[in-house]
Amino acid sequence: MSIIRNVAIIGASGNFGTPITNALSTSNFSITIITRLSSTTSHPSGIPVKRIAYDLTSLTKAFANQDAIICVVGPGGIPLQKIFIDAAIAAGVKRFIIDDFGWGPEAHGFDEFAAIHKQRREAWDYAAEKAQEHKDFTWTGLTTGNPIDWAMKKFPMMGFDVAKHEAIIYDDGTERFTGTTLEGIGQAVLGVLEHPEETANRFCKVQSIQTCQNELLEAFEKVTGEKWKVTKTTSKELIQSGKEDLHTGNGMWRLKLAVATLYDVSEGRGMVAASRQESDAELLGIKDESAGDIAAKLLR
Ligand SMILES: NC(=O)c1ccc[n+]([C@@H]2O[C@H](COP(=O)([O-])OP(=O)(O)OC[C@H]3O[C@@H](n4cnc5c(N)ncnc54)[C@H](OP(=O)(O)O)[C@@H]3O)[C@@H](O)[C@H]2O)c1
């Protein structure tokens, strides 16, 4: 496969689009941002922006001369991937990075997420089907697990209130999970574009760290030099509460079951790869981060 030079990103200013765009900005790739006509998002200056209707004709025109498209739109845009893929093929794009940045096709999630997973899977399967039909078109998925420095800071329910120096420890705090930092997510995309052959037509498993709550709590206490107030609870209670929320129409069910995905005892739901060696972290150049590194990032 020939070298990738020109790259367009859809969803460039989102939670994950921002670190990906930052990583691309420091590279030699030539970047273009694709955005909706209705977008109110502000985009970084100095990068060309194509504000277009998301129909086949406009997308095909906007994708002309692009070697790769990175799709990192928010959940509301997931169903648009089929038209993005059709336009990419029509424009002669060689690589389409599909919108995963989560738990991938092997996700061992709760049944309550089945409908969401099905919708995501349809687009992934579509990319794979199209790659069979069009030999010059390829795809990659990036399975990143918990976006650890972003999610832990945003959602204290994940166990750590970094402003108050308080922790909620689920069960015995030893359930292990895969975390990828925002920097790691940006590097993962760069790694794919730099290794098009090795990453073609497959999901790459990504990680910055594999850890558990006890390791993170120890690191937080070491970095802050103080004992944190700890509240103990169980993942079972969290799962029950999440399921009750779903039945009563309370949208908190998503967050509760997303947190329980990390901590459900002995289920390994939050694991993307068994180890760094079994992930694609080395191939993609993702930094191996310690619990201390993560704690320091969160406290910064
Ligand atoms: N593993 C995890 O725990 C985790 C957590 C969060 C997100 N994710 C996944 O990461 C991916 C990116 O999520 P994100 O949180 O970065 O997204 P986001 O910040 O919600 O949105 C990113 C961009 O997507 C575009 N967009 C939003 N809604 C759209 C719609 N209905 N139609 C078309 N475009 C739309 C917008 O770009 P413009 O305004 O420029 O058009 C927006 O700035 C998703 O697949 C998401 O599910 C995973």
Side-chain angles (χ1 to χ4, degrees), residues 11-17 33-36 39-41 43 54 72-78 80 84 99-103 120 144-147 150:
S13 295
N15 295 310
F16 297 174
I33 290 171
I34 307 289
T35 191
R36 296 167 290 173
S39 175
T40 52
T41 316
H43 300 289
Y54 284 177
V72 66
V73 293
I78 296 287
L80 289 167
F84 294 158
D99 209 343
D100 177 6
F101 306 102
W103 302 97
R120 300 176 75 86
T144 48
N146 180 253
W150 174 80

Side-chain angles (χ1 to χ4, degrees), residues 103 108 145-146 148 152 170-179 207-218 235 258-276 288-291:
W103 302 97
H108 176 34
N146 180 253
I148 191 161
M152 291 276 166
Y170 295 90
D171 307 296
D172 63 3
T174 58
E175 188 68 23
R176 300 191 77 71
F177 63 94
T178 302
Q207 69 166 65
S208 303
I209 187 171
Q210 185 202 109
T211 190
C212 66
Q213 281 204 291
N214 286 352
E215 286 176 6
L216 288 169
L217 178 60
E218 192 185 329
S235 54
V259 175
T261 299
L262 304 182
Y263 305 135
D264 192 8
V265 180
S266 303
E267 288 289 337
R269 293 184 191 274
M271 293 288 288
V272 161
S275 64
R276 182 173 170 88
D288 191 15
E289 302 203 45
S290 67

Side-chain angles (χ1 to χ4, degrees), residues 66-262:
Q66 297 298 334
D67 299 312
I69 306 292
I70 300 155
C71 181
V72 66
V73 293
I78 296 287
L80 289 167
Q81 278 186 104
K82 287 187 184 179
I83 196 164
F84 294 158
I85 290 165
D86 286 342
I89 291 166
V93 169
K94 297 171 211 158
R95 174 64 48 89
F96 187 88
I97 299 189
I98 53 175
D99 209 343
D100 177 6
F101 306 102
W103 302 97
E106 295 166 23
H108 176 34
F110 291 97
D111 291 346
E112 285 74 7
F113 288 122
I116 295 171
H117 188 69
K118 182 169 174 277
Q119 191 185 52
R120 300 176 75 86
R121 179 129 210 165
E122 272 175 22
W124 303 343
D125 289 348
Y126 191 71
E129 195 186 302
K130 292 291 162 185
Q132 289 277 337
E133 289 171 19
H134 303 269
K135 293 296 171 204
D136 292 336
F137 172 79
T138 59
W139 61 276
T140 305
L142 285 165
T143 303
T144 48
N146 180 253
I148 191 161
D149 53 341
W150 174 80
M152 291 276 166
K153 192 155 193 164
K154 191 171 168 72
F155 305 113
M157 194 191 288
M158 286 204 169
F160 301 99
D161 189 324
V162 290
K164 295 183 180 160
H165 294 193
E166 291 178 3
I168 305 166
I169 299 295
Y170 295 90
D171 307 296
D172 63 3
T174 58
E175 188 68 23
R176 300 191 77 71
F177 63 94
T178 302
T180 304
T181 60
L182 293 181
E183 184 189 337
I185 290 171
Q187 178 57 42
V189 170
L190 274 191
V192 168
L193 301 175
E194 285 162 355
H195 298 278
E197 297 283 358
E198 300 95 319
T199 57
N201 299 332
R202 70 180 183 95
F203 283 84
C204 295
K205 294 181 176 180
V206 175
Q207 69 166 65
S208 303
I209 187 171
Q210 185 202 109
T211 190
C212 66
Q213 281 204 291
N214 286 352
E215 286 176 6
L216 288 169
L217 178 60
E218 192 185 329
F220 276 121
E221 291 183 338
K222 196 169 169 194
V223 176
T224 56
E226 62 177 89
K227 280 277 173 208
W228 283 31
K229 181 184 165 203
V230 174
T231 305
K232 294 281 237 176
T233 185
T234 65
S235 54
K236 202 171 163 190
E237 285 172 76
L238 185 66
I239 294 165
Q240 195 179 332
S241 169
K243 291 186 178 193
E244 280 168 14
D245 281 354
L246 177 60
H247 286 125
T248 57
N250 181 342
M252 280 300 286
W253 73 268
R254 282 188 197 81
L255 177 60
K256 288 181 181 174
L257 292 187
V259 175
T261 299
L262 304 182

